[in-house]
């Protein structure tokens, strides 16, 4: 039992593992919160998330822009849960999702600052994917 405690203490002191845990928590919580907010619009009040949907995307998806955002919300919630349960897969799903958001924002004039911020998040999701691969290797060695 003491060996397990020593191993756990060493793991918690490992900055790589700490960075992995931090990114895993952030990329679990943030997509779920943003996904839930697609239904409640608290973060975009008094507007709706649909203001971030490029017209060309609205033209090709069935239903209204608000209905599209409900689907986006469900996908974001699923992506966040996937990061929680399978970070080696979920991190790449979130990265791909963020790439799609960036394309949307770059084709929607006036939201370049948000696209740049989301690019930073995409890089963080990629880092999580890489760290998740390494964390599995680290866990197997200990």
């Amino acid at each position: 039992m003491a060996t397990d405690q020593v191993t756990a203490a060493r793991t918690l002191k490992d900055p790589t593992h700490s960075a992995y845990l931090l990114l895993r928590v952030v990329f679990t919580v943030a997509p779920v919160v943003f996904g839930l907010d697609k239904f409640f619009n608290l973060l975009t009040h008094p507007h709706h998330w649909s203001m971030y949907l490029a017209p060309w995307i609205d033209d090709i998806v069935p239903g209204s822009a608000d209905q599209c955002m409900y689907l986006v919300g469900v996908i974001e919630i699923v992506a966040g849960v996937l990061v929680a349960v399978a970070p080696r897969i979920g991190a790449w799903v979130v990265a791909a999702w963020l790439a799609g958001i960036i394309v949307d924002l770059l084709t929607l004039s006036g939201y370049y600052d948000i696209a740049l911020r989301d690019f930073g998040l995409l890089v963080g999701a990629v880092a999580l994917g890489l760290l998740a691969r390494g964390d599995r290797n680290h866990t197997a060695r200990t």
Side-chain angles (χ1 to χ4, degrees):
M1 189 72 150
T3 304
D4 290 340
Q5 290 174 342
V6 169
T7 302
R10 284 185 188 151
T11 300
L12 289 175
K13 289 181 182 179
D14 177 14
T16 303
H17 186 71
S18 296
Y20 164 74
L21 289 176
L22 183 62
L23 288 168
R24 187 173 179 184
V25 168
V26 167
F27 284 107
T28 295
V29 173
V32 170
V33 168
F34 285 125
L36 287 171
D37 197 61
K38 298 301 185 286
F39 297 92
F40 302 107
N41 291 300
L42 298 174
L43 298 174
T44 59
H45 184 74
H47 304 287
H48 293 270
W49 282 99
S50 57
M51 71 183 191
Y52 296 108
L53 187 64
W56 68 271
I57 296 174
D58 192 22
D59 290 342
I60 62 173
V61 295
S64 69
D66 283 334
Q67 291 169 331
C68 180
M69 285 296 129
Y70 295 141
L71 176 61
V72 166
V74 170
I75 293 169
E76 288 172 339
I77 293 166
V78 169
V81 170
L82 189 57
V83 169
V85 298
R88 287 181 38 218
I89 298 166
W92 298 106
V93 170
V94 170
W97 187 248
L98 285 163
I101 292 170
I102 291 166
V103 168
D104 168 62
L105 292 171
L106 290 176
T107 61
L108 182 64
S109 182
Y111 294 104
Y112 305 122
D113 56 334
I114 299 172
L116 180 60
R117 179 209 57 203
D118 285 353
F119 178 73
L121 290 171
L122 183 146
V123 171
V126 168
L128 174 60
L130 296 171
L131 287 168
R133 184 179 67 199
D135 190 69
R136 189 187 96 183
N137 294 337
H138 174 73
T139 305
R141 285 184 273 140
T142 58

